[in-house]
Amino acid sequence: MLTYISKRLLQVIPLLLIISMVSFFIMQFTPGDYLETLKMNPDISKELINDLKVKYGLDKGPVEQYFRWLWRVLHLDFGRSFKWNAPVTDVMGSRLLNTLILSLAAMVISWGMAIPIGVHSAVKKYSWSDNILGVFAFIGLSIPNFFFALLLLFLIVKFDINLPIGGMTSVDYEWLSPWEKVIDVLKHLLVPAIVLGTASVAGLMRQMRGQMIDVMREDYIRTARAKGLQERRIIYKHAFRNAINPLITIFGFQLSGLLSGAALTEIVTAWPGMGRMMLEAVRAKDIYLVMAGLMMGSLLLIIGNLVADILLSLVDPRIRYD
């Protein structure tokens, strides 16, 4: 196992190199750059724009820009953000924890709801509860996240529910006690976490239900029943362990989205996260900030796949990496 993990980790370097090269040149070959928007401002002189070009290295060719950026990255310098006029690490660092909190809360909600609901629907196949849950699943798949967020905010205002409708903290956050600060953040977290969490519930639930139904038809399940094993033990010890395999792979892919956030949900709920920031960076062609976000997402995707493979070998004795 350690040899397999070492080989996979060594593959990260060429993969990230190729991803960075392709992403950088795609950004470069799109028309215009960040300074194009400044040229439309009559108060900004051409001399200042030329100085900014030299400062950010935009006066060089695309190939030279890439290798200059790569050299700085090797020294843990991801450049300077054009839009925020600050180091990329500082801009991302201020929002990194916010997005991580939101994504982890949403993941707990989605997986905590989807797995037991999917198992119940499979065991009670075609029952009234399965049909009702199926209807809610299709509704969940059909409603966009931003619309659901707006609907929740409308209900909070309409029924005067004691929950904040935007932001991450209250105005008096600095004067609260440590415990009150935690409660305040959790209150602000509730709406965006529910929106992002329930968005994944429908798909995961249908996946879990389908896998469980397929496994429950296998011969070894019939054999276990013929031996007189308890139905609960058959479901959770034999059927569930085999049905969960495809969802572990999905879990690995979802790890890559931990720091990407959800731009529309963050905008609607005013949550200061990475998704909203990255959307603004792409629109402004803030190339160094966009590249840092892409590299972080790519690294998490590679690590997520590795984690999924390791988890699969732990839950399924048939899978071994020798």
Side-chain angles (χ1 to χ4, degrees):
M1 176 63 79
L2 290 176
T3 305
Y4 173 77
I5 294 173
S6 301
K7 288 180 179 179
R8 288 288 297 270
L9 290 176
L10 287 174
Q11 293 173 4
V12 170
I13 299 172
L15 274 174
L16 288 179
L17 190 63
I18 294 170
I19 292 169
S20 69
M21 193 178 299
V22 172
S23 303
F24 193 91
F25 287 117
I26 287 176
M27 288 287 295
Q28 285 285 348
F29 292 139
T30 54
D33 55 35
Y34 174 74
L35 298 179
E36 292 293 329
T37 57
L38 298 182
K39 291 178 182 178
M40 295 185 288
N41 190 337
D43 297 329
I44 298 179
S45 63
K46 290 184 178 179
E47 290 77 13
L48 178 58
I49 291 175
N50 290 332
D51 290 342
L52 290 173
K53 266 191 175 182
V54 175
K55 177 182 177 181
Y56 293 126
L58 298 178
D59 58 329
K60 309 296 182 182
V63 176
E64 187 175 350
Q65 284 186 46
Y66 171 74
F67 282 106
R68 281 171 173 261
W69 171 81
L70 186 61
W71 178 254
R72 289 198 301 268
V73 169
L74 293 176
H75 293 81
L76 301 179
D77 177 12
F78 289 88
R80 195 172 184 86
S81 168
F82 305 157
K83 183 176 175 63
W84 280 272
N85 193 27
V88 167
T89 49
D90 293 347
V91 176
M92 294 185 68
S94 62
R95 293 163 174 81
L96 204 60
L97 181 61
N98 302 345
T99 294
L100 191 61
I101 291 171
L102 175 59
S103 300
L104 286 174
M107 186 174 285
V108 169
I109 291 172
S110 61
W111 286 84
M113 291 176 63
I115 299 302
I117 291 174
V119 172
H120 172 82
S121 295
V123 173
K124 304 292 184 181
K125 182 176 59 173
Y126 306 134
S127 66
W128 64 269
S129 59
D130 179 33
N131 293 331
I132 291 174
L133 291 170
V135 170
F136 278 110
F138 285 116
I139 292 173
L141 289 170
S142 305
I143 298 177
N145 286 1
F146 72 91
F147 179 78
F148 186 41
L150 288 171
L151 182 62
L152 281 181
L153 294 177
F154 170 77
L155 293 174
I156 289 171
V157 175
K158 180 72 174 177
F159 296 102
D160 197 22
I161 301 172
N162 186 24
L163 283 175
I165 59 172
M168 184 178 174
T169 56
S170 300
V171 178
D172 59 345
Y173 178 79
E174 296 297 330
W175 291 275
L176 299 176
S177 66
W179 177 247
E180 288 174 333
K181 285 182 178 180
V182 173
I183 298 298
D184 185 59
V185 172
L186 289 176
K187 283 184 176 181
H188 286 80
L189 177 65
L190 192 59
V191 171
I194 288 175
V195 171
L196 288 181
T198 52
S200 304
V201 168
L204 291 173
M205 184 267 279
R206 299 300 295 178
Q207 284 275 358
M208 188 73 246
R209 179 184 182 276
Q211 291 298 323
M212 279 291 292
I213 289 174
D214 288 341
V215 170
M216 295 290 282
R217 294 172 180 158
E218 295 291 336
D219 291 339
Y220 64 87
I221 297 295
R222 284 195 289 269
T223 303
R225 282 174 175 153
K227 287 182 176 181
L229 292 180
Q230 293 181 348
E231 187 68 15
R232 185 180 183 85
R233 188 178 181 186
I234 293 171
I235 292 169
Y236 291 104
K237 185 175 181 180
H238 298 282
F240 179 75
R241 287 188 64 180
N242 288 287
I244 198 69
N245 285 6
L247 276 85
I248 292 176
T249 305
I250 295 173
F251 175 76
F253 279 109
Q254 284 196 353
L255 286 179
S256 64
L258 278 178
L259 299 180
S260 63
L264 290 176
T265 303
E266 289 177 0
I267 290 170
V268 172
T269 59
W271 185 268
M274 290 277 292
R276 183 179 179 181
M277 181 200 70
M278 289 301 294
L279 180 62
E280 293 177 5
V282 170
R283 292 178 61 187
K285 291 209 66 177
D286 195 341
I287 187 168
Y288 299 135
L289 184 56
V290 173
M291 286 299 299
L294 287 172
M295 290 298 95
M296 192 174 296
S298 302
L299 181 62
L300 279 175
L301 179 60
I302 295 168
I303 292 174
N305 284 330
L306 177 59
V307 170
D309 289 343
I310 294 171
L311 290 176
L312 280 173
S313 68
L314 294 175
V315 301
D316 193 339
R318 297 170 298 179
I319 299 174
R320 286 290 176 267
Y321 302 113
D322 296 328

